[in-house]
Amino acid sequence: MFVDKLGAVHSTSDGATILSKSESSHPIARIISQLGKAVDQEVGDGTTSAVLIMNALLEGAVRLADSGLHPTTIVKGYQLALSRALGELEEIAEPVPADSEEWLAKVAATCIQTKLVGEGAKNLPRLLASAVIQAAEKQGDGYKLDTSRITVRRMPGGGVADTRLIRGVVLPKDLIDPSMPKRLENAKIAVGDVSLVIEKTVADAKLTMTDPKMVGKIGEQRRADLKKIGDRIIATGADVVINREGIDDLVANQFANAGMMAVRHAKIGDVANLAKATGATVVDAKHDITSDDLGFAALVEERKVEGANPSDKWLFVEGCKNPKALTILLRGGNWYVVDEAERSVNDALMALKNLVERPAILAGGGATEAEISARVMKWSETLPGREQIAVQAFASALEEIPQTLAINAGMHPIDSMVEIRSRHARGEKWFGIDHTERKVKDMYSNQVFEPLGVKEEVLKAATETACVILRIDAVFDKAPPRAHRMRSEMPKEEKKSRSRQKEELDERAEKFDPTKPVDRRYPL
């Protein structure tokens, strides 16, 4: 649990979030924080593993340096070991069908079970697998997935098990006019990125009128121009209008009288996803809208989502024929649960993206790291130079993952590692730590799987970050001390914190009574 400078509380087991909220000023800590951020952005899952392996690599490097091995030799040995480890990962990885919902659900389950919401989210893996298969696009012999097409909307209320997959788009917007219909079936949808108002001129202008009737004529001309805009859209046969720009109230009233629904000022990402989901063409100011530009949805409905503010209503566009954009409506008991569920879903989506684009899996539970460690250790015996020692340190560092899992499961780490090494020496390459039964078991049979791309990214990021730190000879810190920095150099959050501290001290100083004895435990 973190309480930041502004008093906000964050409760999480996500490694990337822990690193980002730690806010350490130490330069090496910042490098480690960047490691977590890079892994999280690239593959979503595996941040904690990357930091653990990097830490083990640095500990091994310190021991080697104390024994007389030069850091350059250590770095070279680590790079040789990394190259060998990546090759071994390719060899032991098991190919799977990229469009298999069953395999996607298994990988998603492994990713989510490590988070706080794992126990209450048994339906999430299948839901995420279904969303990924629907949003992925075939390219040549493989698939590509743009995760931005899967929007996550979160709202506290109910439980994580109440999370739903909407085959379409959910807009956190209500209708412009309350007289518009709240529900339409088999709706034709117009998606626009054009202003449906009479724009003011850029240049300043002054108009002098001598006839009072001119004021009425100008108003009539404005209403006539707006009516033409509305008539042009109504003539296409559209039932719903979703626009990124504004819609004049006169045009909105015209839509309402025609029995249409309309939303204005939608976000650009929602507009793009709506076009992908419904098959509509986003119309801009350079083109006139036609019936060919319209999309389709089986149902468009304005609903009140439980947990939102009483006045908040969302527009649900669902039942699209072949939606390439979907929405996951996340629910949870409170905002802390919903936030953690969102982090879990985002990590799982990135892991599934890697699996779809590179369909190969490895067993989890530390089994892969133990197998690669054994293979790299055996290979190191063939190296003639001092790099052999660094390669062996690299192999030992990989055992940090199964060892940490054993400790977290309440198992004895030494006994666990002895049994794992014995199993792998006999060719049982998928044996790792089963934290539910607290045993060393075959993790492949236990349905614990991770994508090959995630494992590769973890090893590369951890090794490269450790090598960067090992190459540092000295640190020259020219930054002024924190207490003597100018106010203009402070981050915005720190300025607010300093202002609150000063106000509190001033208030306590005003209440100070010199006639009363001072409690030395609580100095002013």
PDB file of all heavy atoms in Angstrom, residues 151-154 164-173 266-267 269-271 273-274 277 301 303 305 313-318 325-330:
ATOM      1  N   THR A 151     -11.197  -1.389 -25.218  1.00  0.00           N
ATOM      2  CA  THR A 151     -11.308  -0.319 -24.222  1.00  0.00           C
ATOM      3  C   THR A 151     -11.770  -0.898 -22.893  1.00  0.00           C
ATOM      4  O   THR A 151     -12.660  -1.751 -22.858  1.00  0.00           O
ATOM      5  CB  THR A 151     -12.303   0.753 -24.697  1.00  0.00           C
ATOM      6  OG1 THR A 151     -11.913   1.218 -25.992  1.00  0.00           O
ATOM      7  CG2 THR A 151     -12.324   1.928 -23.739  1.00  0.00           C
ATOM      8  N   VAL A 152     -11.154  -0.432 -21.823  1.00  0.00           N
ATOM      9  CA  VAL A 152     -11.537  -0.867 -20.480  1.00  0.00           C
ATOM     10  C   VAL A 152     -12.260   0.285 -19.793  1.00  0.00           C
ATOM     11  O   VAL A 152     -11.684   1.353 -19.576  1.00  0.00           O
ATOM     12  CB  VAL A 152     -10.307  -1.293 -19.656  1.00  0.00           C
ATOM     13  CG1 VAL A 152     -10.724  -1.716 -18.246  1.00  0.00           C
ATOM     14  CG2 VAL A 152      -9.567  -2.429 -20.348  1.00  0.00           C
ATOM     15  N   ARG A 153     -13.529   0.080 -19.489  1.00  0.00           N
ATOM     16  CA  ARG A 153     -14.317   1.040 -18.711  1.00  0.00           C
ATOM     17  C   ARG A 153     -14.488   0.469 -17.313  1.00  0.00           C
ATOM     18  O   ARG A 153     -14.843  -0.699 -17.148  1.00  0.00           O
ATOM     19  CB  ARG A 153     -15.692   1.255 -19.337  1.00  0.00           C
ATOM     20  CG  ARG A 153     -15.668   1.798 -20.752  1.00  0.00           C
ATOM     21  CD  ARG A 153     -15.325   3.242 -20.777  1.00  0.00           C
ATOM     22  NE  ARG A 153     -15.387   3.768 -22.134  1.00  0.00           N
ATOM     23  CZ  ARG A 153     -14.739   4.834 -22.545  1.00  0.00           C
ATOM     24  NH1 ARG A 153     -13.956   5.489 -21.695  1.00  0.00           N
ATOM     25  NH2 ARG A 153     -14.841   5.267 -23.783  1.00  0.00           N
ATOM     26  N   ARG A 154     -14.250   1.257 -16.305  1.00  0.00           N
ATOM     27  CA  ARG A 154     -14.298   0.749 -14.929  1.00  0.00           C
ATOM     28  C   ARG A 154     -15.327   1.517 -14.120  1.00  0.00           C
ATOM     29  O   ARG A 154     -15.469   2.728 -14.272  1.00  0.00           O
ATOM     30  CB  ARG A 154     -12.925   0.842 -14.267  1.00  0.00           C
ATOM     31  CG  ARG A 154     -12.308   2.202 -14.345  1.00  0.00           C
ATOM     32  CD  ARG A 154     -10.817   2.210 -14.151  1.00  0.00           C
ATOM     33  NE  ARG A 154     -10.361   3.608 -14.066  1.00  0.00           N
ATOM     34  CZ  ARG A 154      -9.774   4.144 -13.013  1.00  0.00           C
ATOM     35  NH1 ARG A 154      -9.528   3.403 -11.966  1.00  0.00           N
ATOM     36  NH2 ARG A 154      -9.430   5.408 -13.009  1.00  0.00           N
ATOM     37  N   ARG A 164     -18.171  -7.544 -17.638  1.00  0.00           N
ATOM     38  CA  ARG A 164     -18.829  -7.959 -18.873  1.00  0.00           C
ATOM     39  C   ARG A 164     -17.998  -7.549 -20.080  1.00  0.00           C
ATOM     40  O   ARG A 164     -17.247  -6.573 -20.042  1.00  0.00           O
ATOM     41  CB  ARG A 164     -20.204  -7.309 -18.995  1.00  0.00           C
ATOM     42  CG  ARG A 164     -21.236  -7.775 -17.988  1.00  0.00           C
ATOM     43  CD  ARG A 164     -22.514  -6.974 -18.175  1.00  0.00           C
ATOM     44  NE  ARG A 164     -22.943  -6.997 -19.570  1.00  0.00           N
ATOM     45  CZ  ARG A 164     -23.659  -6.025 -20.145  1.00  0.00           C
ATOM     46  NH1 ARG A 164     -23.976  -4.948 -19.448  1.00  0.00           N
ATOM     47  NH2 ARG A 164     -24.012  -6.119 -21.420  1.00  0.00           N
ATOM     48  N   LEU A 165     -18.164  -8.297 -21.154  1.00  0.00           N
ATOM     49  CA  LEU A 165     -17.566  -7.958 -22.443  1.00  0.00           C
ATOM     50  C   LEU A 165     -18.668  -7.429 -23.351  1.00  0.00           C
ATOM     51  O   LEU A 165     -19.633  -8.128 -23.635  1.00  0.00           O
ATOM     52  CB  LEU A 165     -16.892  -9.176 -23.079  1.00  0.00           C
ATOM     53  CG  LEU A 165     -16.342  -8.964 -24.494  1.00  0.00           C
ATOM     54  CD1 LEU A 165     -15.241  -7.909 -24.490  1.00  0.00           C
ATOM     55  CD2 LEU A 165     -15.829 -10.276 -25.077  1.00  0.00           C
ATOM     56  N   ILE A 166     -18.509  -6.187 -23.791  1.00  0.00           N
ATOM     57  CA  ILE A 166     -19.463  -5.554 -24.692  1.00  0.00           C
ATOM     58  C   ILE A 166     -18.890  -5.628 -26.102  1.00  0.00           C
ATOM     59  O   ILE A 166     -17.812  -5.090 -26.364  1.00  0.00           O
ATOM     60  CB  ILE A 166     -19.723  -4.084 -24.305  1.00  0.00           C
ATOM     61  CG1 ILE A 166     -20.111  -3.974 -22.826  1.00  0.00           C
ATOM     62  CG2 ILE A 166     -20.783  -3.470 -25.200  1.00  0.00           C
ATOM     63  CD1 ILE A 166     -21.396  -4.659 -22.479  1.00  0.00           C
ATOM     64  N   ARG A 167     -19.598  -6.320 -27.008  1.00  0.00           N
ATOM     65  CA  ARG A 167     -19.136  -6.426 -28.391  1.00  0.00           C
ATOM     66  C   ARG A 167     -19.526  -5.151 -29.143  1.00  0.00           C
ATOM     67  O   ARG A 167     -20.389  -5.153 -30.018  1.00  0.00           O
ATOM     68  CB  ARG A 167     -19.728  -7.666 -29.036  1.00  0.00           C
ATOM     69  CG  ARG A 167     -19.231  -8.942 -28.391  1.00  0.00           C
ATOM     70  CD  ARG A 167     -19.695 -10.180 -29.115  1.00  0.00           C
ATOM     71  NE  ARG A 167     -19.155 -11.369 -28.480  1.00  0.00           N
ATOM     72  CZ  ARG A 167     -17.955 -11.877 -28.732  1.00  0.00           C
ATOM     73  NH1 ARG A 167     -17.181 -11.294 -29.612  1.00  0.00           N
ATOM     74  NH2 ARG A 167     -17.534 -12.955 -28.107  1.00  0.00           N
ATOM     75  N   GLY A 168     -18.859  -4.117 -28.767  1.00  0.00           N
ATOM     76  CA  GLY A 168     -19.113  -2.799 -29.329  1.00  0.00           C
ATOM     77  C   GLY A 168     -18.400  -1.765 -28.485  1.00  0.00           C
ATOM     78  O   GLY A 168     -17.333  -2.027 -27.934  1.00  0.00           O
ATOM     79  N   VAL A 169     -19.003  -0.598 -28.348  1.00  0.00           N
ATOM     80  CA  VAL A 169     -18.365   0.521 -27.656  1.00  0.00           C
ATOM     81  C   VAL A 169     -19.307   1.056 -26.592  1.00  0.00           C
ATOM     82  O   VAL A 169     -20.521   1.139 -26.802  1.00  0.00           O
ATOM     83  CB  VAL A 169     -17.999   1.640 -28.660  1.00  0.00           C
ATOM     84  CG1 VAL A 169     -17.385   2.843 -27.946  1.00  0.00           C
ATOM     85  CG2 VAL A 169     -17.031   1.111 -29.714  1.00  0.00           C
ATOM     86  N   VAL A 170     -18.733   1.416 -25.452  1.00  0.00           N
ATOM     87  CA  VAL A 170     -19.476   2.076 -24.388  1.00  0.00           C
ATOM     88  C   VAL A 170     -18.935   3.495 -24.262  1.00  0.00           C
ATOM     89  O   VAL A 170     -17.753   3.697 -23.967  1.00  0.00           O
ATOM     90  CB  VAL A 170     -19.338   1.330 -23.050  1.00  0.00           C
ATOM     91  CG1 VAL A 170     -20.072   2.086 -21.945  1.00  0.00           C
ATOM     92  CG2 VAL A 170     -19.864  -0.085 -23.167  1.00  0.00           C
ATOM     93  N   LEU A 171     -19.792   4.476 -24.502  1.00  0.00           N
ATOM     94  CA  LEU A 171     -19.393   5.877 -24.421  1.00  0.00           C
ATOM     95  C   LEU A 171     -19.838   6.453 -23.085  1.00  0.00           C
ATOM     96  O   LEU A 171     -21.034   6.393 -22.764  1.00  0.00           O
ATOM     97  CB  LEU A 171     -20.020   6.689 -25.556  1.00  0.00           C
ATOM     98  CG  LEU A 171     -19.657   6.285 -26.990  1.00  0.00           C
ATOM     99  CD1 LEU A 171     -20.484   7.073 -27.978  1.00  0.00           C
ATOM    100  CD2 LEU A 171     -18.184   6.495 -27.244  1.00  0.00           C
ATOM    101  N   PRO A 172     -18.919   7.003 -22.286  1.00  0.00           N
ATOM    102  CA  PRO A 172     -19.325   7.634 -21.027  1.00  0.00           C
ATOM    103  C   PRO A 172     -19.956   9.005 -21.275  1.00  0.00           C
ATOM    104  O   PRO A 172     -19.522  10.031 -20.756  1.00  0.00           O
ATOM    105  CB  PRO A 172     -17.997   7.741 -20.260  1.00  0.00           C
ATOM    106  CG  PRO A 172     -16.961   7.846 -21.323  1.00  0.00           C
ATOM    107  CD  PRO A 172     -17.450   7.036 -22.489  1.00  0.00           C
ATOM    108  N   LYS A 173     -20.977   9.006 -22.113  1.00  0.00           N
ATOM    109  CA  LYS A 173     -21.668  10.233 -22.506  1.00  0.00           C
ATOM    110  C   LYS A 173     -23.166   9.987 -22.460  1.00  0.00           C
ATOM    111  O   LYS A 173     -23.638   8.880 -22.730  1.00  0.00           O
ATOM    112  CB  LYS A 173     -21.272  10.644 -23.929  1.00  0.00           C
ATOM    113  CG  LYS A 173     -19.823  11.080 -24.092  1.00  0.00           C
ATOM    114  CD  LYS A 173     -19.670  12.532 -23.688  1.00  0.00           C
ATOM    115  CE  LYS A 173     -18.275  13.043 -23.983  1.00  0.00           C
ATOM    116  NZ  LYS A 173     -18.128  14.454 -23.598  1.00  0.00           N
ATOM    117  N   ALA A 266     -17.467  13.478 -28.269  1.00  0.00           N
ATOM    118  CA  ALA A 266     -16.904  12.159 -27.965  1.00  0.00           C
ATOM    119  C   ALA A 266     -15.384  12.217 -28.136  1.00  0.00           C
ATOM    120  O   ALA A 266     -14.863  12.995 -28.936  1.00  0.00           O
ATOM    121  CB  ALA A 266     -17.496  11.103 -28.883  1.00  0.00           C
ATOM    122  N   LYS A 267     -14.666  11.401 -27.374  1.00  0.00           N
ATOM    123  CA  LYS A 267     -13.207  11.388 -27.457  1.00  0.00           C
ATOM    124  C   LYS A 267     -12.763  10.783 -28.783  1.00  0.00           C
ATOM    125  O   LYS A 267     -13.443   9.934 -29.368  1.00  0.00           O
ATOM    126  CB  LYS A 267     -12.614  10.593 -26.296  1.00  0.00           C
ATOM    127  CG  LYS A 267     -12.827  11.259 -24.940  1.00  0.00           C
ATOM    128  CD  LYS A 267     -12.160  10.454 -23.838  1.00  0.00           C
ATOM    129  CE  LYS A 267     -12.342  11.130 -22.482  1.00  0.00           C
ATOM    130  NZ  LYS A 267     -11.703  10.342 -21.396  1.00  0.00           N
ATOM    131  N   GLY A 269     -10.418   8.682 -29.461  1.00  0.00           N
ATOM    132  CA  GLY A 269     -10.232   7.221 -29.412  1.00  0.00           C
ATOM    133  C   GLY A 269     -11.554   6.483 -29.494  1.00  0.00           C
ATOM    134  O   GLY A 269     -11.668   5.447 -30.162  1.00  0.00           O
ATOM    135  N   ASP A 270     -12.595   7.021 -28.831  1.00  0.00           N
ATOM    136  CA  ASP A 270     -13.916   6.391 -28.889  1.00  0.00           C
ATOM    137  C   ASP A 270     -14.504   6.482 -30.285  1.00  0.00           C
ATOM    138  O   ASP A 270     -15.179   5.552 -30.751  1.00  0.00           O
ATOM    139  CB  ASP A 270     -14.849   7.059 -27.872  1.00  0.00           C
ATOM    140  CG  ASP A 270     -14.447   6.783 -26.437  1.00  0.00           C
ATOM    141  OD1 ASP A 270     -13.753   5.768 -26.217  1.00  0.00           O
ATOM    142  OD2 ASP A 270     -14.802   7.572 -25.548  1.00  0.00           O
ATOM    143  N   VAL A 271     -14.274   7.609 -30.967  1.00  0.00           N
ATOM    144  CA  VAL A 271     -14.782   7.770 -32.333  1.00  0.00           C
ATOM    145  C   VAL A 271     -14.136   6.743 -33.264  1.00  0.00           C
ATOM    146  O   VAL A 271     -14.807   6.099 -34.081  1.00  0.00           O
ATOM    147  CB  VAL A 271     -14.528   9.203 -32.833  1.00  0.00           C
ATOM    148  CG1 VAL A 271     -14.763   9.314 -34.335  1.00  0.00           C
ATOM    149  CG2 VAL A 271     -15.418  10.189 -32.091  1.00  0.00           C
ATOM    150  N   ASN A 273     -12.727   3.834 -32.415  1.00  0.00           N
ATOM    151  CA  ASN A 273     -13.181   2.486 -32.066  1.00  0.00           C
ATOM    152  C   ASN A 273     -14.628   2.249 -32.493  1.00  0.00           C
ATOM    153  O   ASN A 273     -14.995   1.137 -32.878  1.00  0.00           O
ATOM    154  CB  ASN A 273     -13.039   2.256 -30.558  1.00  0.00           C
ATOM    155  CG  ASN A 273     -11.607   2.027 -30.140  1.00  0.00           C
ATOM    156  OD1 ASN A 273     -10.762   1.701 -30.970  1.00  0.00           O
ATOM    157  ND2 ASN A 273     -11.321   2.198 -28.869  1.00  0.00           N
ATOM    158  N   LEU A 274     -15.448   3.297 -32.427  1.00  0.00           N
ATOM    159  CA  LEU A 274     -16.839   3.160 -32.848  1.00  0.00           C
ATOM    160  C   LEU A 274     -16.918   2.846 -34.338  1.00  0.00           C
ATOM    161  O   LEU A 274     -17.729   2.024 -34.776  1.00  0.00           O
ATOM    162  CB  LEU A 274     -17.599   4.445 -32.524  1.00  0.00           C
ATOM    163  CG  LEU A 274     -19.117   4.395 -32.632  1.00  0.00           C
ATOM    164  CD1 LEU A 274     -19.682   3.422 -31.615  1.00  0.00           C
ATOM    165  CD2 LEU A 274     -19.711   5.769 -32.440  1.00  0.00           C
ATOM    166  N   ALA A 277     -15.920  -0.753 -34.787  1.00  0.00           N
ATOM    167  CA  ALA A 277     -16.910  -1.709 -34.291  1.00  0.00           C
ATOM    168  C   ALA A 277     -18.137  -1.790 -35.192  1.00  0.00           C
ATOM    169  O   ALA A 277     -18.658  -2.879 -35.459  1.00  0.00           O
ATOM    170  CB  ALA A 277     -17.324  -1.332 -32.872  1.00  0.00           C
ATOM    171  N   GLU A 301     -28.349   1.969 -26.679  1.00  0.00           N
ATOM    172  CA  GLU A 301     -29.192   2.262 -25.527  1.00  0.00           C
ATOM    173  C   GLU A 301     -28.437   3.123 -24.514  1.00  0.00           C
ATOM    174  O   GLU A 301     -27.252   2.918 -24.249  1.00  0.00           O
ATOM    175  CB  GLU A 301     -29.634   0.955 -24.858  1.00  0.00           C
ATOM    176  CG  GLU A 301     -30.592   1.149 -23.704  1.00  0.00           C
ATOM    177  CD  GLU A 301     -31.061  -0.165 -23.105  1.00  0.00           C
ATOM    178  OE1 GLU A 301     -30.455  -1.207 -23.434  1.00  0.00           O
ATOM    179  OE2 GLU A 301     -32.017  -0.157 -22.323  1.00  0.00           O
ATOM    180  N   ARG A 303     -27.978   3.927 -20.722  1.00  0.00           N
ATOM    181  CA  ARG A 303     -28.233   3.206 -19.481  1.00  0.00           C
ATOM    182  C   ARG A 303     -27.572   3.908 -18.310  1.00  0.00           C
ATOM    183  O   ARG A 303     -26.549   4.563 -18.449  1.00  0.00           O
ATOM    184  CB  ARG A 303     -27.689   1.779 -19.554  1.00  0.00           C
ATOM    185  CG  ARG A 303     -28.277   0.927 -20.651  1.00  0.00           C
ATOM    186  CD  ARG A 303     -27.587  -0.409 -20.709  1.00  0.00           C
ATOM    187  NE  ARG A 303     -27.910  -1.146 -21.923  1.00  0.00           N
ATOM    188  CZ  ARG A 303     -27.236  -2.184 -22.365  1.00  0.00           C
ATOM    189  NH1 ARG A 303     -26.196  -2.636 -21.662  1.00  0.00           N
ATOM    190  NH2 ARG A 303     -27.577  -2.785 -23.481  1.00  0.00           N
ATOM    191  N   VAL A 305     -25.453   3.172 -15.157  1.00  0.00           N
ATOM    192  CA  VAL A 305     -24.577   2.128 -14.651  1.00  0.00           C
ATOM    193  C   VAL A 305     -24.532   2.220 -13.135  1.00  0.00           C
ATOM    194  O   VAL A 305     -24.222   3.281 -12.578  1.00  0.00           O
ATOM    195  CB  VAL A 305     -23.152   2.260 -15.240  1.00  0.00           C
ATOM    196  CG1 VAL A 305     -22.247   1.156 -14.702  1.00  0.00           C
ATOM    197  CG2 VAL A 305     -23.211   2.198 -16.759  1.00  0.00           C
ATOM    198  N   LYS A 313     -25.029   8.825 -17.113  1.00  0.00           N
ATOM    199  CA  LYS A 313     -25.576   7.781 -17.967  1.00  0.00           C
ATOM    200  C   LYS A 313     -24.593   7.531 -19.104  1.00  0.00           C
ATOM    201  O   LYS A 313     -23.959   8.460 -19.604  1.00  0.00           O
ATOM    202  CB  LYS A 313     -26.943   8.183 -18.509  1.00  0.00           C
ATOM    203  CG  LYS A 313     -28.010   8.317 -17.430  1.00  0.00           C
ATOM    204  CD  LYS A 313     -29.343   8.752 -18.006  1.00  0.00           C
ATOM    205  CE  LYS A 313     -30.387   8.906 -16.911  1.00  0.00           C
ATOM    206  NZ  LYS A 313     -31.687   9.373 -17.446  1.00  0.00           N
ATOM    207  N   TRP A 314     -24.469   6.277 -19.498  1.00  0.00           N
ATOM    208  CA  TRP A 314     -23.551   5.883 -20.561  1.00  0.00           C
ATOM    209  C   TRP A 314     -24.343   5.372 -21.743  1.00  0.00           C
ATOM    210  O   TRP A 314     -25.435   4.811 -21.591  1.00  0.00           O
ATOM    211  CB  TRP A 314     -22.593   4.803 -20.061  1.00  0.00           C
ATOM    212  CG  TRP A 314     -21.586   5.299 -19.059  1.00  0.00           C
ATOM    213  CD1 TRP A 314     -21.477   6.570 -18.568  1.00  0.00           C
ATOM    214  CD2 TRP A 314     -20.565   4.536 -18.426  1.00  0.00           C
ATOM    215  NE1 TRP A 314     -20.447   6.641 -17.665  1.00  0.00           N
ATOM    216  CE2 TRP A 314     -19.867   5.408 -17.566  1.00  0.00           C
ATOM    217  CE3 TRP A 314     -20.163   3.213 -18.505  1.00  0.00           C
ATOM    218  CZ2 TRP A 314     -18.785   4.994 -16.794  1.00  0.00           C
ATOM    219  CZ3 TRP A 314     -19.097   2.791 -17.739  1.00  0.00           C
ATOM    220  CH2 TRP A 314     -18.407   3.673 -16.891  1.00  0.00           C
ATOM    221  N   LEU A 315     -23.769   5.545 -22.926  1.00  0.00           N
ATOM    222  CA  LEU A 315     -24.398   5.070 -24.150  1.00  0.00           C
ATOM    223  C   LEU A 315     -23.734   3.767 -24.572  1.00  0.00           C
ATOM    224  O   LEU A 315     -22.530   3.723 -24.833  1.00  0.00           O
ATOM    225  CB  LEU A 315     -24.270   6.123 -25.253  1.00  0.00           C
ATOM    226  CG  LEU A 315     -25.104   5.853 -26.512  1.00  0.00           C
ATOM    227  CD1 LEU A 315     -26.584   6.030 -26.194  1.00  0.00           C
ATOM    228  CD2 LEU A 315     -24.691   6.773 -27.648  1.00  0.00           C
ATOM    229  N   PHE A 316     -24.518   2.714 -24.672  1.00  0.00           N
ATOM    230  CA  PHE A 316     -24.039   1.378 -25.056  1.00  0.00           C
ATOM    231  C   PHE A 316     -24.369   1.140 -26.528  1.00  0.00           C
ATOM    232  O   PHE A 316     -25.537   1.195 -26.926  1.00  0.00           O
ATOM    233  CB  PHE A 316     -24.691   0.298 -24.204  1.00  0.00           C
ATOM    234  CG  PHE A 316     -24.172   0.236 -22.796  1.00  0.00           C
ATOM    235  CD1 PHE A 316     -24.491   1.219 -21.873  1.00  0.00           C
ATOM    236  CD2 PHE A 316     -23.357  -0.815 -22.388  1.00  0.00           C
ATOM    237  CE1 PHE A 316     -24.012   1.162 -20.578  1.00  0.00           C
ATOM    238  CE2 PHE A 316     -22.877  -0.885 -21.091  1.00  0.00           C
ATOM    239  CZ  PHE A 316     -23.188   0.111 -20.187  1.00  0.00           C
ATOM    240  N   VAL A 317     -23.325   0.887 -27.314  1.00  0.00           N
ATOM    241  CA  VAL A 317     -23.482   0.534 -28.723  1.00  0.00           C
ATOM    242  C   VAL A 317     -22.980  -0.898 -28.861  1.00  0.00           C
ATOM    243  O   VAL A 317     -21.770  -1.150 -28.844  1.00  0.00           O
ATOM    244  CB  VAL A 317     -22.690   1.491 -29.639  1.00  0.00           C
ATOM    245  CG1 VAL A 317     -22.890   1.115 -31.109  1.00  0.00           C
ATOM    246  CG2 VAL A 317     -23.103   2.934 -29.394  1.00  0.00           C
ATOM    247  N   GLU A 318     -23.883  -1.853 -29.001  1.00  0.00           N
ATOM    248  CA  GLU A 318     -23.477  -3.258 -29.003  1.00  0.00           C
ATOM    249  C   GLU A 318     -24.267  -4.062 -30.024  1.00  0.00           C
ATOM    250  O   GLU A 318     -25.196  -3.556 -30.659  1.00  0.00           O
ATOM    251  CB  GLU A 318     -23.645  -3.862 -27.601  1.00  0.00           C
ATOM    252  CG  GLU A 318     -25.005  -3.673 -26.968  1.00  0.00           C
ATOM    253  CD  GLU A 318     -25.039  -4.183 -25.552  1.00  0.00           C
ATOM    254  OE1 GLU A 318     -24.527  -5.295 -25.302  1.00  0.00           O
ATOM    255  OE2 GLU A 318     -25.588  -3.479 -24.676  1.00  0.00           O
ATOM    256  N   ALA A 325     -13.544  -3.611 -32.530  1.00  0.00           N
ATOM    257  CA  ALA A 325     -13.300  -2.829 -31.322  1.00  0.00           C
ATOM    258  C   ALA A 325     -14.322  -3.267 -30.280  1.00  0.00           C
ATOM    259  O   ALA A 325     -15.513  -3.397 -30.591  1.00  0.00           O
ATOM    260  CB  ALA A 325     -13.414  -1.326 -31.601  1.00  0.00           C
ATOM    261  N   LEU A 326     -13.866  -3.515 -29.073  1.00  0.00           N
ATOM    262  CA  LEU A 326     -14.738  -4.026 -28.021  1.00  0.00           C
ATOM    263  C   LEU A 326     -14.493  -3.252 -26.734  1.00  0.00           C
ATOM    264  O   LEU A 326     -13.502  -2.512 -26.611  1.00  0.00           O
ATOM    265  CB  LEU A 326     -14.498  -5.523 -27.781  1.00  0.00           C
ATOM    266  CG  LEU A 326     -14.644  -6.432 -28.999  1.00  0.00           C
ATOM    267  CD1 LEU A 326     -13.250  -6.739 -29.555  1.00  0.00           C
ATOM    268  CD2 LEU A 326     -15.350  -7.730 -28.647  1.00  0.00           C
ATOM    269  N   THR A 327     -15.371  -3.461 -25.764  1.00  0.00           N
ATOM    270  CA  THR A 327     -15.261  -2.771 -24.475  1.00  0.00           C
ATOM    271  C   THR A 327     -15.412  -3.778 -23.345  1.00  0.00           C
ATOM    272  O   THR A 327     -16.314  -4.630 -23.385  1.00  0.00           O
ATOM    273  CB  THR A 327     -16.338  -1.686 -24.340  1.00  0.00           C
ATOM    274  OG1 THR A 327     -16.225  -0.760 -25.425  1.00  0.00           O
ATOM    275  CG2 THR A 327     -16.182  -0.930 -23.028  1.00  0.00           C
ATOM    276  N   ILE A 328     -14.520  -3.677 -22.377  1.00  0.00           N
ATOM    277  CA  ILE A 328     -14.619  -4.496 -21.163  1.00  0.00           C
ATOM    278  C   ILE A 328     -15.116  -3.588 -20.040  1.00  0.00           C
ATOM    279  O   ILE A 328     -14.458  -2.599 -19.691  1.00  0.00           O
ATOM    280  CB  ILE A 328     -13.264  -5.114 -20.800  1.00  0.00           C
ATOM    281  CG1 ILE A 328     -12.806  -6.074 -21.904  1.00  0.00           C
ATOM    282  CG2 ILE A 328     -13.344  -5.850 -19.468  1.00  0.00           C
ATOM    283  CD1 ILE A 328     -11.414  -6.608 -21.706  1.00  0.00           C
ATOM    284  N   LEU A 329     -16.287  -3.915 -19.510  1.00  0.00           N
ATOM    285  CA  LEU A 329     -16.874  -3.133 -18.420  1.00  0.00           C
ATOM    286  C   LEU A 329     -16.472  -3.785 -17.104  1.00  0.00           C
ATOM    287  O   LEU A 329     -17.034  -4.794 -16.688  1.00  0.00           O
ATOM    288  CB  LEU A 329     -18.389  -3.071 -18.563  1.00  0.00           C
ATOM    289  CG  LEU A 329     -19.137  -2.184 -17.559  1.00  0.00           C
ATOM    290  CD1 LEU A 329     -18.652  -0.743 -17.653  1.00  0.00           C
ATOM    291  CD2 LEU A 329     -20.642  -2.259 -17.788  1.00  0.00           C
ATOM    292  N   LEU A 330     -15.475  -3.189 -16.429  1.00  0.00           N
ATOM    293  CA  LEU A 330     -14.912  -3.752 -15.197  1.00  0.00           C
ATOM    294  C   LEU A 330     -15.727  -3.317 -13.993  1.00  0.00           C
ATOM    295  O   LEU A 330     -16.065  -2.145 -13.840  1.00  0.00           O
ATOM    296  CB  LEU A 330     -13.469  -3.273 -15.025  1.00  0.00           C
ATOM    297  CG  LEU A 330     -12.345  -4.149 -15.568  1.00  0.00           C
ATOM    298  CD1 LEU A 330     -11.013  -3.489 -15.278  1.00  0.00           C
ATOM    299  CD2 LEU A 330     -12.384  -5.531 -14.966  1.00  0.00           C
TER     300      LEU A 330
END
